[in-house]
Amino acid sequence: MASSFSCSERTKLTWMLALLLILVMMLRVDGQSGFLSVDCGWTGSAGSTYNDSATGLPYDSDGKFMEGGLSSKISAEFIADAGNEQQKTLRSFPDGKRNCYTLPSAIGKKFLLRAMFSYGNYDGLNRSMDGSPFIFGLHIGVNFWETVNLTNLDPSLTLWKEVLTMAPANLLSFCLINLGSGTPFVSSLELRPLGDAMYPFLSTYVSVSYLRRFRFGDAAEYITRYPVDNYDRFWAGWSFSFNTYPWISLNTSKPVNRLNSIDVFQVPEVILQKATTLDTNYSFMEVSVEVGSNLDIRGMELLPIFHFTEIAGDIPNRTFNVYSADELLFQDVSLSPMRVESMYPTNRFLTNRFLSGSNTTSFMLRKVPGSKLPPLINALEVYSIVRTDNLTTSSEDVNYMKEVKKHYNLGRNWNGDPCSPREYTWEGLTCDYSNGNQNPRIVRVNMSTSKLRGVLAISFFMMASLENLDLSHNNLTGTIPNYELKSLKVLNLSYNQLDGPIPNSIVQRFQAGLLDLRLEGNPICSKGKYMYCSNTKNSKHVMLTAVIVPVVLVSLLVVLGVLWKVCQKGNSGDHEDYDIYEEETPLHIDIRRFTYVELKFITKDFQSIIGKGGFGTVYHGILENGDEVAVKVLMETSIAESTDFLPEVQTLSKVHHKNLVTLAGYCQNKKCLALVYDFMPRGNLQQILRGGDDYTLNWEQRLYIALDAAQGLEYLHESCTPSVVHRDVKTPNILLDKNLVGIISDFGLSRAFNDAHTHISTVAAGTLGYLDPEYHATFQLTVKTDVYSFGIVLLEIITGQPPVLVNPQTIHLPNWIRQKIATGSIHDVVDKRLLDQYDASSLQSVVDLAMMCVENATIDRPTMIEVVSRLKACLPEVPRLLQPTISGVPPISSEGDFQFDYTGRMSNTSLLSGR
Ligand SMILES: *[C@@H]1O[C@H](CO)[C@@H](O)[C@H](O)[C@H]1NC(C)=O
Ligand SMILES: *[C@@H]1O[C@H](CO)[C@@H](O)[C@H](O)[C@H]1NC(C)=O
Ligand SMILES: *[C@@H]1O[C@H](CO)[C@@H](O)[C@H](O)[C@H]1NC(C)=O
Ligand SMILES: *[C@@H]1O[C@H](CO)[C@@H](O)[C@H](O)[C@H]1NC(C)=O
Ligand SMILES: *[C@@H]1O[C@H](CO)[C@@H](O)[C@H](O)[C@H]1NC(C)=O
Ligand SMILES: *[C@@H]1O[C@H](CO)[C@@H](O)[C@H](O)[C@H]1NC(C)=O
Ligand SMILES: *[C@@H]1O[C@H](CO)[C@@H](O)[C@H](O)[C@H]1NC(C)=O
């Protein structure tokens, strides 16, 4: 039965994205804690800092965050006018294509990184005004971020770039790239941790680069930043560009009502207490955002975030639409008094096709007919999307290479990530990128003739994927360390000062033909006539020809080698663990088979429990390559004894769908029975639905997760032959990946399912509250059993309630909903944490669909195919309108507002001085 099991490959394996480790750190950030401010090129005495006169924030010198570069002061004529200390010095990088700063961070944590550039003619070359291009690039980690274009820019001006990003590791690197059009430099770096729930669209794959950030109404200063903004964002005052009729400034001192679960932008209260609106004779306002002549935003994907708070009175009569070029972004926006409302287009970014030039984009707020008051706005942020999907080198390899660098005190331009991006690979390294889902690995190191001295660094031998190491023509001394080689196939140590003895493990690998070893030109070779001391290219070859060992003998050696290896392993005392290898396994399973010892190792002795279920306990583990996995150790009493286990694994290994969890391996022998899955960093749907107020899914996210789960089930039901019935569909079995995509788990333990969709089973399946009443009565198991449970899941998604409510009395969720709807309205069932932020018409359809799924009679329930298509229909499709006809205020072009970008001066006077 199981061997004929197959699933059609509709969705193929293409979806298999790399599952990077994201541990969402639960650090709380308030005020300035965690701020890192670096004044590049500043040469205060070692370890000293100074406090910035305007913000009081301490600035560090940059010595400990990078290597190389030259520190300089801006030219004397600009020093006196510098707005702050950081503008006075800078660090330039005349050497190397890429130079990186490495800043401390925390993996998975979100940060704002701001870099400032004040040229100030530091090199006396008048470089920005000499007519030729002056451009260099910036990388955030291993991904391209943006170019810095100082061409034709007044040398007294400061340019800044900001990126909001999620740290891919405990270090965040920022690199300057020489593009051949001028020496890169940087004046200051500011790293500000953001709250975990903030800017929810950030992920390891998506960062955003700042274009503009405005506050409206009358602001006291040109730039509002820390300490007004806890996260030290720069908010430019719009009123300094527009304070003329018909624009009208509003302000209030009443407190702004924030609801933690939706206020993911933490806009400072004083900013929300001010707004700009229009004279009531006008009907729309156009907010035109220019980014300056040195940045071309055509082709960029833009992300605007609008912040609104109704501050005009208690019973406002104000409703408006928000447009980007011809596109309606938000319809019928009407605000509650003193409550912050932040809006941005979800699930997509705007492409900037309707520009009024290469450097301008505009948004329009237009009142709807019947609204008394014209629109109002408090703050606006505009970002461009930065794709950060290039992977960093395996952290293990990075660490070993760093040790090597330190060990030999190498001054080479080994900077930033060793393998990524490809074109900046460290000199002498060859990397393997062939597994696109996984971090690149170092496979070859060539450090021949590199003036290395001292002993051979053990780090080389510890690199799990290193195959070829060339350290010839150096001055290495001492002996070869005795360390069991992992994957090394070529080891060239010729022409050094190495002495014996040669470790046995190496000799044996050489003799077995597994290692090409070269040692000629070392003192060790003067002591005997060893094979590896011959200077012929391939010593394995030499062994074959010169000694004329017949093929038979070589095979014998290989066999001996293997036996020796087996014996070595046997010594570990885990004989039982290896019994299994002698068994004939009649099944062909492509996935990895783990031993108990391996599982013990990857889970660090089964330390961290991430879940407990009916089938056993789930542990967190990390594979040798750094991939995170969930290891489900099955309980002996569950199906441990079952002969179904291997067929089950085979079933699982054949099921590939983007909404089904991927099996990475298994373990079966006397010592263990376990399944190894990809790890899902966001936990499960139950946790997130009932996890409290600090993080709430919005309506669309909920619908998308429901659709994900439905598609996973549809695949099991419809694309597998025979169909697979999950039998235990419930919110804890719907896992969430880092992008909040729903992934169904535990289906493998539900057994391939036979006989044309009907089957008599005496094994009770399912979980209380999710149980199909008909199955319960008849033990007739069909795919509709899953449909019923899915209906309950859908109701939980809508209501945030558990399947069985106990307060005030025990009631099953579908009945609770029937009661609520009968005595009130459908809106009473919706999860309160959605704060009425949902689309009423889709709510009705989703509730109807869920109630159909939980019909008592199987025949009345829809199939998963139907469920999927109905859910798709509920998902928002943003309506498009034609460009509104222009009336009211003529579109305003915003000359001058771009100067905020270039005049980094934080003080009033220097800005007015017109620099
Ligand atoms: C900077 O400010 C902090 C706190 O206000 C203070 O403790 C420290 O002494 C100041 N450092 C300098 C160099 O003035
Ligand atoms: C820099 O070049 C511009 C344009 O050639 C010139 O007007 C200006 O005087 C120069 N400044 C300095 C300091 O050489
Ligand atoms: C990712 O790496 C490739 C190859 O090195 C490079 O061409 C590409 O520009 C990189 N992508 C980003 C976003 O930096
Ligand atoms: C925007 O670009 C146009 C030409 O494309 C240029 O004339 C204008 O000055 C630029 N605006 C700003 C603010 O740099
Ligand atoms: C850099 O700025 C100059 C001057 O505004 C402009 O002509 C040029 O196109 C820009 N280059 C790039 C690559 O954006
Ligand atoms: C707003 O005012 C218009 C015109 O007076 C009225 O028809 C409409 O009902 C009002 N809307 C609200 C929400 O009060
Ligand atoms: C090794 O070191 C010795 C002296 O320390 C020096 O004479 C010799 O040139 C060095 N060899 C290489 C290959 O660098």
Side-chain angles (χ1 to χ4, degrees):
M1 147 201 120
S3 54
S4 68
F5 175 85
S6 75
C7 294
S8 66
E9 301 237 334
R10 265 192 312 183
T11 38
K12 285 236 164 162
L13 310 177
T14 45
W15 65 274
M16 287 203 189
L17 302 165
L19 290 154
L20 285 178
L21 23 140
I22 309 177
L23 298 173
V24 179
M25 311 281 290
M26 289 300 164
L27 299 174
R28 223 189 99 79
V29 174
D30 31 27
Q32 65 188 84
S33 61
F35 279 22
L36 175 66
S37 311
V38 181
D39 184 351
C40 305
W42 179 62
T43 47
S45 53
S48 74
T49 62
Y50 68 84
N51 291 342
D52 181 72
S53 57
T55 58
L57 292 171
Y59 280 76
D60 239 323
S61 57
D62 61 349
K64 54 179 176 272
F65 304 111
M66 50 85 235
E67 293 165 50
L70 301 171
S71 75
S72 312
K73 269 200 169 73
I74 60 171
S75 91
E77 65 179 301
F78 301 115
I79 286 255
D81 282 348
N84 58 37
E85 249 343 269
Q86 300 98 64
Q87 292 174 5
K88 295 182 187 167
T89 59
L90 55 89
R91 183 174 297 275
S92 62
F93 296 92
D95 296 324
K97 283 200 295 179
R98 175 178 69 167
N99 282 279
C100 298
Y101 278 82
T102 307
L103 307 173
S105 68
I107 185 167
K109 179 129 192 80
K110 296 170 185 172
F111 288 92
L112 177 158
L113 175 67
R114 181 166 44 231
M116 304 238 209
F117 308 89
S118 314
Y119 170 59
N121 199 16
Y122 74 91
D123 50 4
L125 298 173
N126 203 10
R127 193 60 188 79
S128 66
M129 299 298 281
D130 69 1
S132 62
F134 185 10
I135 300 172
F136 51 89
L138 302 180
H139 280 185
I140 180 74
V142 295
N143 295 281
F144 179 78
W145 162 16
E146 201 163 291
T147 50
V148 177
N149 185 353
L150 298 158
T151 317
N152 292 335
L153 196 72
D154 183 329
S156 68
L157 298 181
T158 295
L159 195 97
W160 79 72
K161 301 283 176 188
E162 233 181 71
V163 67
L164 307 188
T165 192
M166 187 183 265
N170 287 332
L171 293 171
L172 185 64
S173 65
F174 159 79
C175 308
L176 296 123
I177 309 297
N178 193 329
L179 300 173
S181 302
T183 301
F185 71 89
V186 58
S187 304
S188 67
L189 285 173
E190 296 170 339
L191 189 64
R192 313 292 185 230
L194 301 171
D196 293 325
M198 287 173 74
Y199 296 93
F201 43 78
L202 296 180
S203 69
T204 33
Y205 295 129
V206 175
S207 299
V208 294
S209 181
Y210 158 94
L211 290 177
R212 308 302 259 120
R213 195 183 288 116
F214 291 115
R215 59 177 299 193
F216 291 79
D218 283 324
E221 60 278 312
Y222 285 96
I223 302 283
T224 306
R225 62 177 294 190
Y226 181 82
V228 173
D229 187 324
N230 277 340
Y231 302 94
D232 197 20
R233 287 164 291 190
F234 286 9
W235 301 86
W238 175 265
S239 63
F240 293 102
S241 311
F242 306 104
N243 48 10
T244 53
Y245 185 78
W247 300 88
I248 291 172
S249 297
L250 302 174
N251 68 69
T252 182
S253 53
K254 284 193 225 158
V256 176
N257 189 359
R258 284 167 198 275
L259 295 142
N260 260 343
S261 52
I262 57 166
D263 185 15
V264 292
F265 297 104
Q266 301 288 330
V267 181
E269 183 163 61
V270 296
I271 292 180
L272 297 173
Q273 284 170 333
K274 299 193 169 180
T276 292
T277 182
L278 293 170
D279 181 291
T280 47
N281 292 327
Y282 293 87
S283 62
F284 72 83
M285 54 165 82
E286 179 161 323
V287 179
S288 174
V289 177
E290 277 194 40
V291 296
S293 52
N294 279 16
L295 190 59
D296 189 343
I297 56 174
R298 278 173 299 191
M300 284 186 178
E301 295 171 286
L302 302 185
L303 176 71
I305 306 168
F306 299 85
H307 304 288
F308 302 115
T309 304
E310 179 59 74
I311 61 174
D314 287 342
I315 318 162
N317 186 327
R318 188 195 310 275
T319 307
F320 55 93
N321 291 342
V322 179
Y323 302 85
S324 159
D326 69 335
E327 215 176 325
L328 177 62
L329 294 181
F330 310 111
Q331 196 166 15
D332 295 337
V333 176
S334 71
L335 309 163
S336 315
M338 295 317 295
R339 186 154 114 188
V340 58
E341 197 93 55
S342 295
M343 301 186 172
Y344 61 96
T346 46
N347 305 316
R348 82 219 156 93
F349 303 113
L350 308 177
T351 45
N352 206 21
R353 287 162 306 122
F354 300 97
L355 292 168
S356 12
S358 64
N359 53 11
T360 309
T361 185
S362 64
F363 302 99
M364 187 189 290
L365 279 61
R366 171 187 285 276
K367 77 173 181 182
V368 303
S371 167
K372 258 199 199 130
L373 297 173
L376 129 170
I377 183 166
N378 308 64
L380 171 65
E381 297 173 73
V382 184
Y383 296 95
S384 66
I385 303 306
V386 176
R387 306 265 166 205
T388 48
D389 24 31
N390 280 353
L391 295 175
T392 52
T393 307
S394 143
S395 60
E396 210 181 295
D397 288 359
V398 174
N399 291 336
Y400 289 131
M401 282 317 292
K402 282 188 178 157
E403 277 170 33
V404 165
K405 188 178 170 186
K406 204 167 133 205
H407 182 103
Y408 295 115
N409 195 14
L410 291 172
R412 297 184 175 223
N413 224 331
W414 275 6
N415 217 310
D417 191 272
C419 300
S420 189
R422 246 176 237 233
E423 51 272 47
Y424 298 98
T425 304
W426 287 5
E427 188 193 332
L429 302 193
T430 305
C431 305
D432 176 13
Y433 305 91
S434 60
N435 194 342
N437 297 332
Q438 281 172 13
N439 306 60
R441 302 294 308 235
I442 297 169
V443 291
R444 183 174 177 168
V445 176
N446 181 353
M447 292 174 69
S448 173
T449 329
S450 299
K451 303 202 172 87
L452 307 183
R453 44 180 64 245
V455 298
L456 185 49
I458 184 95
S459 306
F460 286 126
F461 288 179
M462 299 171 87
M463 292 170 69
S465 55
L466 186 63
E467 293 176 359
N468 186 321
L469 175 62
D470 186 348
L471 298 175
S472 60
H473 299 277
N474 285 300
N475 250 342
L476 299 176
T477 49
T479 58
I480 302 172
N482 186 3
Y483 191 84
E484 183 160 1
L485 300 181
K486 294 216 159 89
S487 49
L488 212 53
K489 297 195 179 88
V490 178
L491 178 59
N492 186 348
L493 298 172
S494 57
Y495 301 100
N496 277 291
Q497 311 297 326
L498 295 167
D499 215 332
I502 302 173
N504 259 346
S505 58
I506 290 185
V507 172
Q508 274 157 341
R509 278 181 77 88
F510 172 78
Q511 286 172 345
L514 300 171
L515 179 70
D516 179 355
L517 177 67
R518 292 186 54 190
L519 280 171
E520 73 268 19
N522 281 287
I524 199 171
C525 286
S526 60
K527 297 188 179 141
K529 203 95 202 93
Y530 302 111
M531 220 80 73
Y532 27 79
C533 288
S534 142
N535 63 0
T536 320
K537 267 235 147 67
N538 190 338
S539 49
K540 193 165 83 188
H541 226 74
V542 173
M543 182 170 74
L544 291 177
T545 51
V547 188
I548 318 170
V549 182
V551 176
V552 181
L553 186 48
V554 175
S555 325
L556 198 69
L557 282 174
V558 173
V559 169
L560 283 175
V562 170
L563 280 180
W564 170 79
K565 215 173 136 189
V566 169
C567 293
Q568 283 290 100
K569 294 230 167 137
N571 289 345
S572 70
D574 274 293
H575 294 282
E576 286 174 51
D577 215 18
Y578 277 83
D579 287 353
I580 196 70
Y581 289 119
E582 281 134 47
E583 279 173 26
E584 268 303 312
T585 308
L587 295 161
H588 302 286
I589 298 174
D590 297 336
I591 55 170
R592 175 166 170 191
R593 181 166 214 172
F594 289 85
T595 64
Y596 178 71
V597 175
E598 282 170 326
L599 287 187
K600 210 169 140 176
F601 178 75
I602 65 175
T603 58
K604 299 221 170 64
D605 226 352
F606 302 102
Q607 253 179 20
S608 142
I609 295 180
I610 51 177
K612 269 192 175 147
F615 294 113
T617 307
V618 189
Y619 301 89
H620 179 256
I622 299 177
L623 296 183
E624 300 85 335
N625 63 8
D627 286 355
E628 281 182 287
V629 289
V631 178
K632 174 171 287 184
V633 178
L634 302 172
M635 284 195 311
E636 275 166 46
T637 48
S638 58
I639 54 169
E641 315 290 309
S642 163
T643 49
D644 286 349
F645 182 74
L646 278 181
E648 220 37 86
V649 170
Q650 197 181 34
T651 304
L652 270 164
S653 68
K654 280 190 183 161
V655 172
H656 297 291
H657 186 269
K658 67 179 164 46
N659 301 117
L660 298 174
V661 76
T662 303
L663 189 68
Y666 68 103
C667 172
Q668 192 211 19
N669 58 42
K670 282 180 199 146
K671 277 198 154 176
C672 79
L673 197 57
L675 295 169
V676 180
Y677 298 100
D678 286 350
F679 176 67
M680 295 291 144
R682 297 278 205 144
N684 68 48
L685 184 58
Q686 184 187 55
Q687 289 162 345
I688 212 158
L689 280 177
R690 297 212 275 284
D693 282 343
D694 47 326
Y695 184 76
T696 301
L697 298 170
N698 68 31
W699 181 245
E700 283 172 21
Q701 286 168 327
R702 289 176 197 231
L703 290 189
Y704 275 111
I705 293 169
L707 177 63
D708 292 334
Q711 284 171 333
L713 289 175
E714 181 194 22
Y715 177 86
L716 290 177
H717 291 179
E718 306 296 337
S719 301
C720 296
T721 331
S723 295
V724 173
V725 178
H726 187 300
R727 304 203 297 182
D728 199 11
V729 176
K730 55 182 175 180
T731 46
N733 279 343
I734 298 171
L735 307 180
L736 297 167
D737 79 0
K738 60 180 172 299
N739 297 318
L740 284 177
V741 171
I743 312 258
I744 292 190
S745 73
D746 258 2
F747 55 90
L749 303 175
S750 50
R751 202 167 301 200
F753 164 69
N754 240 335
D755 304 340
H757 293 217
T758 55
H759 182 66
I760 305 290
S761 162
T762 49
V763 183
T767 301
L768 195 69
Y770 296 90
L771 284 176
D772 169 7
E774 192 160 308
Y775 168 73
H776 210 51
T778 62
F779 288 125
Q780 189 85 2
L781 183 66
T782 75
V783 289
K784 293 288 183 74
T785 304
D786 286 348
V787 175
Y788 182 90
S789 312
F790 179 79
I792 301 288
V793 167
L794 207 45
L795 293 175
E796 282 186 78
I797 290 176
I798 299 165
T799 61
Q801 302 292 345
V804 180
L805 288 86
V806 288
N807 217 350
Q809 85 257 34
T810 307
I811 182 166
H812 194 205
L813 188 53
N815 295 333
W816 180 79
I817 288 177
R818 287 184 190 109
Q819 267 183 17
K820 281 272 180 186
I821 295 177
T823 59
S825 103
I826 188 163
H827 299 282
D828 298 341
V829 306
V830 180
D831 191 345
K832 292 288 171 285
R833 282 173 303 172
L834 282 168
L835 299 162
D836 301 334
Q837 304 267 310
Y838 56 86
D839 174 49
S841 66
S842 70
L843 170 69
Q844 183 70 54
S845 333
V846 181
V847 171
D848 289 347
L849 176 61
M851 295 311 277
M852 256 171 84
C853 293
V854 298
E855 283 289 346
N856 272 338
T858 41
I859 190 139
D860 295 333
R861 299 177 203 152
T863 61
M864 281 322 287
I865 300 180
E866 258 175 278
V867 171
V868 166
S869 82
R870 278 167 170 252
L871 277 175
K872 277 186 178 158
C874 292
L875 275 160
E877 211 180 292
V878 177
R880 296 182 70 115
L881 297 186
L882 294 174
Q883 179 126 29
T885 45
I886 305 296
S887 69
V889 183
I892 288 173
S893 98
S894 54
E895 300 142 10
D897 85 62
F898 96 102
Q899 52 180 283
F900 288 113
D901 235 8
Y902 293 103
T903 51
R905 305 307 165 79
M906 311 308 163
S907 75
N908 210 327
T909 45
S910 61
L911 200 101
L912 288 178
S913 73
R915 292 201 177 275

